[in-house]
Amino acid sequence: MTEKKEVLISFQNVGKIYRTGSIVYEALHDVNLEIMDGEMVVILGPSGAGKSTLLNMVGGLDAATSGRILFGGLDITGFDDKRLGEFRAKDVGIVFQFYNLVPTLTAYENVALMKELGIEIMDPGEALELVGLGDRKDNFPSQMSGGQQQRVSIARAIAKMPRLLLCDEPTGALDTKTGQEVLKLLQLQSKQYGRTVVMVTHNSAFADIADKVVLVRDGTVSDIKYNENPLDADKLEW
Amino acid sequence: MKKILLIKMFRDLKQNFIQFLAIFVMCFFAAFAFSGIDSPTEGLRVSVDRYFTETNFMDIGITADSFTQEDLAAVESVQNVEAVSMHADIVGRIVTKSGAEKKAGMRFISNDEVSKMLLMEGDAYEPGMPGVWIDWHFAEAEHFAVGDKVTLKYEGAYFDETIRGIADNPDFYEYTVDDTYTEPRFGDYCYCFLDVTEYPGKDIVYDRMDVSLANVSNQIYITDADEREMEKAKVDIMDALSKNNLTVLTKSDDPGFSSVISDIDFNEMIDAVIPVLFIAVAILGVVTTMTRIMAKHRTLIGALKALGFSRATIMAHYMSYVTIIAVLACISGSVVGYYTLGVSFFQDTVTYHSNPYATLLVSQGQVFVDIAIVIIATMTAYFSCRKLLVQNAADILRPEPPTQAGAGPIEGFKLWNRLSFASRWNLRDVNLNRFRTITGVMGVMLCSALMVTAFAFNDSLKVESVWRQNHLTPAAYHIIFKDGTDYGTVYDYSRQYKGQMLMISSVELKSESDQKLYTMTVADQGNLFRLANNDLKIIDMPQDSASLTVKASEFMGVGIGDRIRFRIPGQKRWYTVRVGSINKTDGAQGIVLTRALYEKVQGQFQPNNIYTNMKVPHAMITDHSEIAAVISHEDYIRSSNDTSQGVDDMVAIIMFIAVVVGVVVMYNLGVLSYMEKIREIATLKVLGFPSNHIRWILQQQSLIITGLGTLFGMPFGVPLLHLIYEEEAHDIDYITVVGVTPFIYAFLLCFVLSVIINAIILSQVKDIDMVEALKGVE
Ligand SMILES: Nc1ncnc2c1ncn2[C@@H]1O[C@H](COP(=O)(O)OP(=O)(O)OP(=O)(O)O)[C@@H](O)[C@H]1O
Ligand SMILES: [Mg+2]
């Protein structure tokens, strides 16, 4: 199955150095990695290893200090602010640990937000149905639980049917049961809709649901594992 | 432990620099405005009081064509009259050291008891003493010193005198040597004092008496009792004397004195209003800033409490931020106000008023206002912090309860769903941050109101400086005759120059409610003296009724259709006329009637002015003894341009304050709102919103606030203008023109400021660190 797929994202000798005043910190170095179209990837590693940094660079939220990152053959490290914006709007859905919904917009409006950019999206109501929140459309984020907010954030990300879904600790603030529901949703995106899903976590149990597991340690990729038969998120236990 | 709090304070101040700067600026301007106006006012009050008290400034001044010793005795025997000084005032010339001749007002005195000289150098005057005492402005300008010999000149006679002293005199507080000066220019001419025995002519003509009353000793602080005393004596004196051209003025009627009082009253009024405006905005600034810091420091405060810091310590710590800022702002504002605005106002007063003691003073009021500002700011900080700090540590550490995110009841309207995403977002944000919004609106209100005031003030000045000369008296030349010139002489000139004759004299107006001294203008036929209505449109001269000026009408309580009585001071006869129109002028206030009407009520037309469009050589004054002054249209325009210079500064100051208030408030709130929304902005960017799109959404909100602010603020510009540019005096009126242009300019300027300031703040959107902004809440 995997061998038919094309390379969607490719890291070529990527490095990232943070400079704050006189302090220089090398967060990533010599990162070489390929992510296939439609793949479900879990990035695993201890705190401070550089997982978020890696993920953020795929979404163009952060720029690489050295090396190249290709997306569908295009070098996104050369994009300016405007091109990166277009890239994120059209091709990338992002889900964060802390949901990052707009507090003054209802669940429905948070999803419908993408229409503002003139992007074709699925009906926001439908997207909310998909995440099981059909009846909470008119609620503001402050009126919902953490899991519900995270699901709105996923609905917002998938509503525009992106090629790539980036998730940074999407279950970090959730209990096991809600976390499992969120994982199910994400896995579905890859399995059913053929979207590429990249998820960062420090919870090694999640590795079982991925097609590919990328281990990050001390700022570089230390190992890559493949699961021939990824586990259903339903069956996951932790 | 305390040291740590101190370090923390400096960090917090640095982190919230813009917000604290805004609080500083508002407190600064409150203190600045108060001090800038109060210090010259206090100086005026104290120095004039001292000057007038030391020189026993007259309680009543009497002038007439001539007085005899019997008249003097008659006045002296009036009840409560304590002392009378009778003098002869003439205008001659003085020869300067360079040989030039300057005009000199000479006063011949026989005693120096009322409106005494204030001797600054030399010997004190004693009756019968030879020599001359000259005014200090002229002595300084022409380098005269005690002991110098000078030559004085009067009607062809020269007489040499020795300067015995350099002095000043309160009667000359606003002195102009003759009508060619429309305002004082001390040093340009001389006024001096000699003993009556030095009088150059054969027979001395006394024309002035200064009276001091036994029961009146106050100067600046006149009481109602003093006022009654003076009015009573005035009536008694009028009854005791029957004279041609008699005028009896109490101290309060005296132009010099009443100008001091009205200056003080006016300043006190502005002083009460302007600082209040700034303090109001400062309070809002303190509330927004402190509430925001409290919200941000929520967990920190909980931790401090848990660590055992007492509530009082933490409270004092946060309040001290504002206290320190307010103290610094008040001290610097007071000092800067004193040395800039204060000095500038002071310069104006000393230019137009002769007061040897003139000074700037810091009043108790200043200290009081500064303390009040600090207390108000600190108390505001206290109430902003109290709500959070009274809770116990555990409650504080629990996160803030969720806020309602909607826009309130307006969401119920059908229209709501039709609004764009940006509008909905902005309206909800505005509703959620009501206090920030109100602060913004109030700040813009203040800014736009001040701008309208400044622009309208400027327009008014432009109009004022030329309007009367161009529209009411559109004549090329104005000839003023000396008192007592007979009708035939004036008539001959009017034929020769094809001019319009006018009789301008003082008049007592009497209505049921009041009796006051005004100016009467009786106009012969012609079109060089015209009237305008309140809208500044030229109106016809009423033929069978009189016209009252606006201020005369207001103060006498007389309107169109009513009757009013008037008489020439010193004459017994009262005339009664009907009021047919009200006219607006920034010139002399009073009553205007046609010669025909005046003669119909048996008045005797004695013209003393001619307006003409034919060229009149200035040299006429020297060649023709009956002519007091020849003033051309250009002379008038020039001198009014000179006066408006000082007021131009005022316009600039108001404009400057308006812009500073606008910039500070808009920048402060712009930054505040940007920082509060930084997560949302980052979220939108992550979702792929282009920076320009985000900027435009945020700009809309500031445009809404600017729009509301200007809408509510601009109307206040007009009353503010009237407050600044109106006299409570019964005989002074100003012209304020408020067209649409000030509103258009103020509106545009506010929006330009708003757009530029927000564009600067929002330029950061492009380079926002999304990862940093979206990191979990600490
Ligand atoms: N803005 C920054 N400035 C300086 N150093 C940074 C910055 N952002 C991250 N780092 C450093 O880079 C390293 C990698 O950070 P990153 O956030 O990618 O870690 P992570 O693997 O996601 O950890 P966690 O599981 O705790 O989220 C960390 O050591 C961090 O201290
Ligand atoms: Mg991370």
Side-chain angles (χ1 to χ4, degrees):
Chain A
M1 210 163 88
T2 34
E3 45 268 40
K4 277 189 225 154
K5 300 267 162 108
E6 286 173 21
V7 175
L8 182 67
I9 302 159
S10 141
F11 280 72
Q12 300 178 353
N13 291 318
V14 173
K16 173 74 189 178
I17 292 169
Y18 284 115
R19 271 174 231 275
T20 19
S22 58
I23 306 163
V24 177
Y25 185 83
E26 191 175 45
L28 289 177
H29 60 93
D30 304 316
V31 174
N32 286 290
L33 177 67
E34 287 192 339
I35 292 169
M36 304 298 158
D37 202 6
E39 215 171 23
M40 169 97 196
V41 179
V42 165
I43 301 180
L44 208 59
S47 180
K51 309 182 292 292
S52 298
T53 309
L54 195 78
L55 190 81
N56 290 336
M57 287 196 303
V58 181
L61 304 186
D62 212 344
T65 319
S66 58
R68 301 200 307 162
I69 301 169
L70 304 182
F71 181 89
L74 288 175
D75 182 3
I76 65 164
T77 43
F79 283 10
D80 62 5
D81 182 62
K82 202 169 160 235
R83 285 277 313 267
L84 277 175
E86 284 169 15
F87 163 62
R88 277 196 300 272
K90 258 181 47 217
D91 296 317
V92 193
I94 303 179
V95 179
F96 287 97
Q97 180 180 357
F98 296 105
Y99 336 127
N100 295 314
L101 299 175
V102 180
T104 46
L105 296 180
T106 60
Y108 183 92
E109 288 165 338
N110 260 290
V111 178
L113 204 51
M114 302 313 296
K115 278 199 211 158
E116 282 297 305
L117 295 176
I119 287 168
E120 210 181 307
I121 65 168
M122 68 170 82
D123 178 60
E126 214 173 290
L128 287 169
E129 290 288 352
L130 277 180
V131 298
L133 285 175
D135 53 341
R136 308 302 295 264
K137 280 196 307 189
D138 294 328
N139 284 22
F140 286 101
S142 59
Q143 298 163 329
M144 287 185 283
S145 73
Q148 287 166 334
Q149 291 187 53
Q150 188 62 300
R151 281 187 279 160
V152 174
S153 142
I154 292 173
R156 184 174 67 188
I158 62 176
K160 62 182 176 186
M161 302 167 286
R163 287 177 76 184
L164 175 64
L165 209 52
L166 300 175
C167 316
D168 195 347
E169 307 270 13
T171 62
L174 307 177
D175 63 42
T176 317
K177 194 171 158 289
T178 14
Q180 200 159 29
E181 274 165 32
V182 166
L183 291 180
K184 230 166 76 188
L185 269 170
L186 294 177
Q187 200 181 34
L188 197 70
Q189 291 300 311
S190 158
K191 284 253 163 66
Q192 191 167 330
Y193 302 100
R195 297 193 177 120
T196 312
V197 177
V198 183
M199 180 173 80
V200 160
T201 179
H202 59 263
N203 190 337
S204 51
F206 294 179
D208 296 343
I209 65 166
D211 299 316
K212 183 194 270 178
V213 181
V214 179
L215 294 166
V216 178
R217 197 172 286 273
D218 297 334
T220 194
V221 175
S222 63
D223 197 4
I224 296 179
K225 288 184 196 148
Y226 296 90
N227 286 332
E228 286 305 320
N229 294 303
L231 193 67
D232 258 7
D234 273 345
K235 312 232 168 65
L236 200 64
E237 272 171 25
W238 76 92
Chain B
M1 226 151 59
K2 288 275 150 76
K3 202 174 151 204
I4 290 177
L5 286 183
L6 206 64
I7 294 170
K8 173 174 171 302
M9 178 175 79
F10 282 118
R11 257 191 217 139
D12 287 341
L13 290 182
K14 222 176 107 187
Q15 260 172 23
N16 299 285
F17 180 72
I18 297 294
Q19 281 73 42
F20 284 110
L21 180 70
I23 296 173
F24 178 88
V25 169
M26 289 303 150
C27 294
F28 176 90
F29 274 124
F32 170 87
F34 189 87
S35 142
I37 301 166
D38 184 65
S39 52
T41 312
E42 177 70 6
L44 196 62
R45 223 183 265 132
V46 171
S47 67
V48 171
D49 195 53
R50 177 176 171 207
Y51 178 31
F52 283 18
T53 305
E54 282 183 12
T55 55
N56 190 25
F57 180 61
M58 57 106 182
D59 296 317
I60 288 179
I62 316 169
T63 56
D65 289 349
S66 70
F67 291 118
T68 59
Q69 293 299 332
E70 290 74 51
D71 294 329
L72 175 63
V75 173
E76 279 171 338
S77 61
V78 166
Q79 203 192 351
N80 282 334
V81 167
E82 183 187 50
V84 184
S85 293
M86 186 163 77
H87 352 274
D89 282 319
I90 59 175
V91 176
R93 285 171 179 273
I94 184 167
V95 182
T96 67
K97 285 190 170 166
S98 64
E101 286 187 10
K102 295 279 181 137
K103 288 176 190 167
M106 303 173 204
R107 168 167 286 191
F108 295 88
I109 58 178
S110 49
N111 72 41
D112 194 26
E113 288 171 25
V114 188
S115 285
K116 292 189 281 195
M117 276 189 257
L118 181 78
L119 189 69
M120 299 164 81
E121 241 179 89
D123 307 324
Y125 166 86
E126 296 286 346
M129 235 165 119
V132 62
W133 285 257
I134 68 169
D135 83 88
W136 55 291
H137 307 281
F138 193 74
E140 200 174 281
E142 299 296 341
H143 309 291
F144 279 121
V146 175
D148 287 354
K149 294 247 179 294
V150 283
T151 303
L152 301 175
K153 228 177 125 183
Y154 178 65
E155 292 190 334
Y158 287 80
F159 52 114
D160 291 329
E161 296 285 351
T162 305
I163 296 176
R164 299 295 297 270
I166 294 176
D168 205 348
N169 183 301
D171 277 358
F172 295 79
Y173 185 70
E174 263 194 342
Y175 179 70
T176 55
V177 71
D178 59 29
D179 290 336
T180 53
Y181 289 91
T182 48
E183 68 215 15
R185 191 164 289 189
F186 297 108
D188 214 27
Y189 43 75
C190 173
Y191 53 96
C192 56
F193 307 86
L194 303 98
D195 189 75
V196 284
T197 53
E198 304 291 308
Y199 193 77
K202 292 184 296 296
D203 301 309
I204 185 160
V205 184
Y206 292 106
D207 56 358
R208 181 178 173 94
M209 286 193 252
D210 282 327
V211 179
S212 170
L213 299 175
N215 298 333
V216 180
S217 56
N218 296 318
Q219 290 296 352
I220 288 300
Y221 309 97
I222 309 183
T223 62
D224 288 347
D226 293 337
E227 202 76 62
R228 276 195 300 278
E229 200 70 42
M230 292 192 293
E231 285 299 329
K232 186 178 162 294
K234 174 176 158 183
V235 172
D236 291 349
I237 289 169
M238 279 181 149
D239 289 342
L241 298 171
S242 174
K243 288 278 153 193
N244 259 352
N245 286 327
L246 178 75
T247 52
V248 183
L249 299 180
T250 70
K251 183 149 61 185
S252 328
D253 299 332
D254 180 76
F257 185 87
S258 64
S259 94
V260 178
I261 298 292
S262 74
D263 279 356
I264 291 175
D265 287 352
F266 172 63
N267 290 354
E268 280 174 350
M269 174 131 63
I270 302 192
D271 240 6
V273 176
I274 305 275
V276 169
L277 295 178
F278 288 107
I279 292 172
V281 180
I283 289 176
L284 293 169
V286 171
V287 174
T288 16
T289 310
M290 291 316 287
T291 312
R292 177 169 169 272
I293 291 181
M294 283 298 112
K296 258 181 78 174
H297 288 198
R298 199 184 171 84
T299 34
L300 176 65
I301 293 167
L304 286 176
K305 273 194 131 181
L307 279 175
F309 282 88
S310 73
R311 182 202 304 169
T313 310
I314 302 175
M315 187 87 94
H317 167 67
Y318 282 100
M319 276 162 62
S320 68
Y321 292 19
V322 172
T323 312
I324 287 173
I325 298 285
V327 167
L328 290 177
C330 282
I331 293 175
S332 53
S334 303
V335 171
V336 176
Y338 183 95
Y339 284 105
T340 56
L341 204 58
V343 168
S344 146
F345 275 128
F346 176 71
Q347 291 301 349
D348 282 357
T349 25
V350 294
T351 310
Y352 298 113
H353 302 101
S354 178
N355 174 2
Y357 292 142
T359 180
L360 282 161
L361 280 179
V362 177
S363 71
Q364 286 177 345
Q366 177 72 57
V367 179
F368 173 78
V369 164
D370 285 353
I371 291 176
I373 295 172
V374 172
I375 290 177
I376 290 172
T378 307
M379 287 315 289
T380 312
Y382 170 79
F383 286 112
S384 310
C385 302
R386 210 179 80 105
K387 223 177 88 207
L388 183 67
L389 288 178
V390 289
Q391 302 174 20
N392 61 36
D395 285 339
I396 294 173
L397 284 171
R398 207 169 293 145
E400 224 178 331
T403 44
Q404 188 62 38
I410 52 165
E411 298 213 4
F413 290 102
K414 263 209 179 111
L415 191 71
W416 176 256
N417 291 317
R418 305 255 299 275
L419 289 177
S420 74
F421 152 75
S423 313
R424 274 187 269 171
W425 186 38
N426 278 318
L427 285 173
R428 284 183 186 145
D429 193 64
V430 159
N431 184 48
L432 209 62
N433 297 287
R434 257 162 268 160
F435 219 87
R436 193 185 69 209
T437 309
I438 292 170
T439 314
V441 170
M442 302 254 310
V444 176
M445 277 174 72
L446 181 54
C447 165
S448 63
L450 288 172
M451 279 180 181
V452 168
T453 305
F455 283 123
F457 199 174
N458 194 39
D459 282 4
S460 299
L461 287 176
K462 264 194 237 142
V463 168
E464 179 120 321
S465 67
V466 292
W467 180 74
R468 178 153 49 109
Q469 307 311 329
N470 285 347
H471 297 273
L472 295 187
T473 55
Y477 285 90
H478 180 187
I479 309 172
I480 302 168
F481 292 89
K482 286 193 178 144
D483 286 345
T485 309
D486 62 50
Y487 175 81
T489 313
V490 178
Y491 178 75
D492 288 343
Y493 278 103
S494 83
R495 295 299 299 269
Q496 187 189 344
Y497 286 102
K498 297 193 171 63
Q500 179 175 8
M501 291 191 291
L502 294 115
M503 168 178 175
I504 301 175
S505 78
S506 55
V507 70
E508 270 180 79
L509 294 186
K510 187 173 180 163
S511 69
E512 283 178 3
S513 56
D514 214 348
Q515 178 170 349
K516 277 205 162 62
L517 200 69
Y518 279 103
T519 299
M520 174 177 74
T521 308
V522 183
D524 199 2
Q525 282 173 351
N527 58 1
L528 296 178
F529 179 83
R530 311 195 295 177
L531 300 180
N533 65 11
N534 228 337
D535 300 328
L536 309 186
K537 298 272 182 322
I538 299 297
I539 52 171
D540 286 335
M541 184 85 76
Q543 293 304 314
D544 52 359
S545 57
S547 184
L548 279 188
T549 60
V550 170
K551 278 298 183 83
S553 155
E554 276 172 15
F555 276 79
M556 301 308 293
V558 172
I560 292 175
D562 296 342
R563 295 190 168 270
I564 188 152
R565 306 218 291 149
F566 67 92
R567 75 168 174 188
I568 313 281
Q571 295 179 6
K572 294 254 139 89
R573 219 201 118 143
W574 286 97
Y575 305 95
T576 306
V577 287
R578 202 171 58 81
V579 176
S581 73
I582 307 293
N583 70 85
K584 179 87 178 170
T585 175
D586 59 330
Q589 298 294 301
I591 187 167
V592 179
L593 48 162
T594 59
R595 175 181 177 178
L597 176 64
Y598 187 56
E599 286 177 342
K600 201 170 124 195
V601 297
Q602 313 289 307
Q604 199 194 353
F605 184 62
Q606 277 182 325
N608 49 6
N609 284 261
I610 289 178
Y611 282 110
T612 173
N613 273 330
M614 282 173 65
K615 184 166 169 53
V616 183
H618 280 98
M620 294 267 288
I621 320 171
T622 30
D623 305 345
H624 302 260
S625 61
E626 61 272 22
I627 293 182
V630 172
I631 307 167
S632 73
H633 188 82
E634 285 71 33
D635 294 338
Y636 273 122
I637 303 288
R638 205 178 310 121
S639 84
S640 53
N641 284 344
D642 287 350
T643 2
S644 60
Q645 185 54 48
V647 202
D648 273 353
D649 296 346
M650 185 86 179
V651 171
I653 290 171
I654 298 173
M655 200 64 213
F656 174 75
I657 294 178
V659 171
V660 170
V661 168
V663 169
V664 166
V665 170
M666 291 175 189
Y667 192 78
N668 171 29
L669 292 162
V671 168
L672 201 63
S673 136
Y674 178 80
M675 295 203 295
E676 276 167 5
K677 283 203 276 282
I678 199 153
R679 278 176 76 85
E680 288 168 66
I681 295 168
T683 303
L684 292 181
K685 271 209 90 169
V686 166
L687 292 177
F689 277 67
S691 303
N692 283 337
H693 195 126
I694 299 172
R695 282 190 204 132
W696 169 231
I697 294 173
L698 297 175
Q699 274 282 7
Q700 284 177 27
Q701 186 173 129
S702 44
L703 290 180
I704 294 174
I705 290 173
T706 309
L708 289 176
T710 47
L711 195 71
F712 296 136
M714 290 197 306
F716 285 105
V718 180
L720 203 59
L721 172 68
H722 287 289
L723 190 68
I724 294 174
Y725 202 43
E726 217 166 56
E727 283 276 1
E728 278 308 302
H730 73 284
D731 56 353
I732 301 169
D733 200 3
Y734 288 121
I735 290 170
T736 52
V737 266
V738 186
V740 282
T741 42
F743 291 91
I744 295 174
Y745 287 157
F747 184 80
L748 291 179
L749 204 58
C750 280
F751 272 88
V752 167
L753 271 186
S754 166
V755 169
I756 292 177
I757 290 168
N758 282 290
I760 292 171
I761 296 168
L762 297 176
S763 66
Q764 303 170 60
V765 169
K766 190 165 175 256
D767 303 315
I768 196 168
D769 186 342
M770 284 174 270
V771 180
E772 185 63 37
L774 289 178
K775 272 200 183 134
V777 250
E778 72 258 33

